[in-house]
Amino acid sequence: MILLRLFWEFFKTGLFAVGGGMATLPFLYDISARTGWFTTGQLADMIAVSESTPGPIGVNMATYVGFTAAGVPGAAVATLGLVTPSVIVILIVARVLAAFRQNKYVDAAFYGLRPCSVGLIAAAGVLVVKVALFCADRYAASGAILDLFNGKAVALAALLLLFTRGVKQTKKLHPIVFILASAAVGVVFSF
């Protein structure tokens, strides 16, 4: 039964997460809340692992969640559920798009999907920032404003922002350098 539910949850995610892998994050938060298959903290770990492993992040996260919920069969079923809608839609679109591409309604629909993608990705970004940089539970327990922030994570994020955008010598480094460096910092400083 869990395999069918995994397939269905990720089929819906794959069908409606327009904009790429990061657009799946709001759906994953919803799946976490409704199913209990993983916690918000585990989702943050999944994001880190999915970002640092080869392949599309959405597929990596579906595989990770499926494995967490039901082992290897769950990983395969969740991944299949996520990609199935895309395959179906691409086959249909490829078949009919040539005939309708100049249609003003089709063109308007594609134009309208752009802000939708931006909104979903921005929402995912806000959720990642919330999980990675803030400690709402610690703040609620103590009431101290400094407990609201994860100091180590904020410092690492600020350094990464500086090195990826502000320091001329490191701006052009491949993202994997920053991912590996962040993983090393996480190990050394016990994140």
Side-chain angles (χ1 to χ4, degrees):
M1 188 62 166
I2 192 169
L3 294 177
L4 287 173
R5 185 151 186 215
L6 273 168
F7 182 86
W8 176 243
E9 293 295 338
F10 281 97
F11 183 88
K12 292 186 300 186
T13 301
L15 187 60
F16 295 110
V18 178
M22 293 304 280
T24 64
L25 287 180
F27 295 94
L28 291 173
Y29 278 99
D30 180 60
I31 290 170
S32 170
R34 285 185 298 103
T35 66
W37 289 335
F38 53 93
T39 66
T40 305
Q42 287 173 312
L43 183 57
D45 294 339
M46 289 179 202
I47 293 166
V49 169
S50 296
E51 282 280 349
S52 58
T53 54
I57 185 172
V59 172
N60 290 348
M61 290 184 64
T63 305
Y64 197 122
V65 169
F67 184 80
T68 301
V72 173
V77 166
T79 303
L80 185 63
L82 185 78
V83 301
T84 298
S86 296
V87 170
I88 292 168
V89 168
I90 287 169
L91 291 173
I92 292 169
V93 167
R95 183 85 173 157
V96 299
L97 186 59
F100 293 103
R101 186 60 184 123
Q102 301 305 322
N103 183 299
K104 68 178 183 176
Y105 298 111
V106 172
D107 195 43
F110 278 111
Y111 189 77
L113 286 173
R114 292 177 191 164
C116 175
S117 297
V118 169
L120 287 171
I121 292 168
V126 168
L127 291 173
V128 170
V129 167
K130 180 181 170 187
V131 169
L133 303 182
F134 293 96
C135 302
D137 294 339
R138 195 170 61 191
Y139 172 71
S142 72
I145 193 73
L146 289 178
D147 284 342
L148 179 60
F149 303 98
N150 180 341
K152 292 178 190 177
V154 170
L156 180 58
L159 282 173
L160 287 170
L161 184 63
L162 175 69
F163 286 128
T164 58
R165 298 289 174 234
V167 177
K168 190 174 189 176
Q169 294 84 352
T170 58
K171 271 177 142 177
K172 296 189 188 236
L173 288 176
H174 196 279
I176 193 70
V177 171
F178 297 106
I179 291 169
L180 293 173
S182 297
V185 167
V187 169
V188 170
F189 292 101
S190 302
F191 271 68

